[in-house]
Amino acid sequence: AAAANPPSDAAEARFAACVSLSEKDPAKALDEAGAWQIAGGGVLARQCAGLAYATQKRWLPAATAFQQAAEEAERNHDSRAARLWVQAGNASLAAGESAKARSAFDAALASDMLKGAEAGEAHLDRARAAALLKDNVAARTDLDAALKLVPEDPLAWLLSATLARKMEDLPRARKDIAEAAQRAPDEASVAVEAGNIAMLSGATAAARTAWEAAV
């Protein structure tokens, strides 16, 4: 979707250069983003700062930078706000700030600007936050939404199976882990969870086979 106030070609070019720099030399990219902010770089300058912090795995300042970019985008009626909220949420998850992450994903989805796969991945991310907060009911609602929108994503099936196991719904867990295995047959985390579910289902030999495959 086009932004209400789309950035100029010069701003887009500067942003692309800043992103490239953030991947090679994030410290210099932060200096560039800071100077750009002072010069009125706005949303793009803040987003570049967030990306540079993320490259350094400095997740809390990354989340703050993305949140500030999202808030500024919202004030400007800029449709990029939703994607920036998703970036803020994922940085917060990486920082271990699950409640803050869920609030960011709430904002992203409430904007109604995410469609299709983007909306599906945001539901998946919000489900991760809810699960970490032990809100299994909310996590199930978001995972079911994600499975409808991104049915080919093996992570969605894996997380759905894991949640079903934790909620003691073994039939659903077995069904969903099979879907995950079909889409990611060589993924160790899928094999580990398949073993967990098999063991709880009383299939010891199948559990051992799955765990050996994971190793």
Side-chain angles (χ1 to χ4, degrees):
N5 297 296
S8 67
D9 290 344
E12 290 285 11
R14 186 169 182 176
F15 176 68
C18 191
V19 171
S20 179
L21 184 61
S22 75
E23 296 168 353
K24 300 170 186 175
D25 190 337
K28 284 187 178 179
L30 284 171
D31 289 340
E32 159 64 11
W36 193 11
Q37 285 180 43
I38 292 170
V43 171
L44 292 179
R46 295 185 187 281
Q47 185 178 15
C48 185
L51 293 169
Y53 283 127
T55 300
Q56 296 177 323
K57 301 189 185 305
R58 297 169 62 187
W59 300 116
L60 282 175
T64 299
F66 289 134
Q67 178 179 334
Q68 290 172 343
E71 290 170 343
E72 183 169 348
E74 283 186 342
R75 289 193 296 271
N76 296 335
H77 306 289
D78 185 332
S79 62
R80 290 172 296 176
R83 295 185 184 96
L84 290 163
W85 278 121
V86 170
Q87 288 183 304
N90 278 296
S92 294
L93 274 181
E97 297 284 342
S98 303
K100 186 176 180 181
R102 179 154 71 169
S103 294
F105 297 131
D106 284 344
L109 288 163
S111 72
D112 202 34
M113 294 305 299
L114 300 178
K115 305 297 181 183
E118 282 189 320
E121 295 298 335
H123 278 291
L124 180 56
D125 290 334
R126 189 166 68 177
R128 292 165 57 213
L132 289 168
L133 293 167
K134 302 189 186 304
D135 187 348
N136 291 339
V137 173
R140 170 49 63 201
T141 298
D142 271 320
L143 280 172
D144 287 345
L147 289 171
K148 290 179 181 178
L149 292 165
V150 285
E152 295 307 313
D153 187 339
L155 178 60
W157 291 104
L158 171 59
L159 294 182
S160 183
T162 301
L163 181 63
R165 171 176 59 79
K166 291 179 178 178
M167 297 178 76
E168 301 182 352
D169 184 353
L170 290 178
R172 173 75 187 264
R174 288 191 293 268
K175 172 184 172 294
D176 288 358
I177 201 62
E179 296 281 357
Q182 181 180 344
R183 291 163 175 77
D186 298 323
E187 176 58 49
S189 58
V190 171
V192 169
E193 186 56 37
N196 295 340
I197 293 167
M199 179 60 75
L200 287 174
S201 300
T204 306
R208 182 180 296 111
T209 299
W211 287 333
E212 287 174 350
V215 172

